[in-house]
Amino acid sequence: MRVFVDFVGFVGCTRFVRVLRREGRLGLVLGVVMVALALTGCGVRPTGVVDAGGSASGLTKGLRLYFVSESGRLEGVPRPDQPIRAPVDVVKLLMGGPSEAEKRSGLTTLLTDGQYEVTGEGDRLSVRLSGMILDPTSVRDRNLTGQLVCSLARARAVLDESGRTRPDDVRVTVASEGDGTGSGGGGGELGPYVCSDFLG
């Protein structure tokens, strides 16, 4: 049915143009006005301004901290106005935990008091945890590692003034050290990881 209607409209427009040609110059002014009206019936519609929304930016920008939800998944929360001077600053923010509103939504942090040393340059970072041993088979320890990896990667990308570093360009190695008592082994090194290893 749609094809038939379009065809009829096209034929009508063609006949209309032929009539204008027969009329000659005398009907030129009237013809211009009528052509504009006829084109509306020929399927030509005014476009106006089309709102295409915001530009596609791919990965989201700005600092995000990653906390653990009630379902045991990592969730990033924005901290656009939080100033940082070095990647290690986000470790302190993680230890401070989520905001009250974020706590009410079920978010928590697995980072507690302890010593966290962050070193490295460019898109390669290492974080050393003193006084604890991470078990890569433990869901809790994996989420703790993910909090560190994703938050540090975000921080490194934010601190890159050139804007060329993406969070998933940053690889983070996590090393844990035992407490020296001999119970539970002497720790080890995990990674390097990228944030996407812990999401999805």
Side-chain angles (χ1 to χ4, degrees):
M1 179 63 71
R2 175 64 184 274
V3 173
F4 176 75
V5 172
D6 288 345
F7 175 76
V8 171
F10 174 75
V11 171
C13 290
T14 303
R15 290 177 178 172
F16 179 73
V17 171
R18 288 176 180 170
V19 169
L20 287 179
R21 287 178 176 172
R22 287 199 301 268
E23 291 297 325
R25 292 179 177 273
L26 194 58
L28 181 61
V29 175
L30 181 60
V32 170
V33 175
M34 296 188 71
V35 166
L37 294 174
L39 287 176
T40 302
C42 295
V44 180
R45 293 180 172 57
T47 57
V49 178
V50 178
D51 183 8
S55 59
S57 58
L59 294 173
T60 57
K61 307 284 186 182
L63 181 64
R64 295 175 75 86
L65 300 180
Y66 287 80
F67 296 109
V68 183
S69 69
E70 290 179 332
S71 63
R73 299 170 63 89
L74 287 186
E75 289 189 16
V77 295
R79 292 290 188 272
D81 300 321
Q82 178 67 54
I84 57 172
R85 292 183 294 179
V88 71
D89 291 345
V90 300
V91 177
K92 301 173 185 176
L93 296 174
L94 289 173
M95 293 173 66
S99 68
E100 290 302 319
E102 292 161 355
K103 289 178 183 177
R104 287 194 295 272
S105 69
L107 297 183
T108 188
T109 183
L110 300 179
L111 274 74
T112 57
D113 293 340
Q115 295 181 353
Y116 301 85
E117 179 186 1
V118 179
T119 58
E121 296 180 357
D123 58 4
R124 297 290 187 274
L125 296 176
S126 296
V127 55
R128 183 170 297 277
L129 291 62
S130 299
M132 69 175 68
I133 299 172
L134 295 178
D135 179 1
T137 65
S138 163
V139 174
R140 182 185 186 283
D141 286 358
R142 180 170 174 78
N143 280 334
L144 187 152
T145 302
Q147 278 193 262
L148 287 168
V149 171
C150 290
S151 300
L152 286 170
R154 279 284 179 171
R156 184 65 193 89
V158 167
L159 291 168
D160 181 6
E161 295 181 355
S162 71
R164 290 193 293 266
T165 301
R166 301 181 311 130
D168 234 25
D169 292 333
V170 182
R171 285 163 169 73
V172 181
T173 300
V174 181
S176 60
E177 298 178 349
D179 57 10
T181 63
S183 58
E189 192 171 275
L190 303 174
Y193 296 114
V194 293
C195 182
S196 59
D197 292 335
F198 300 91
L199 304 178

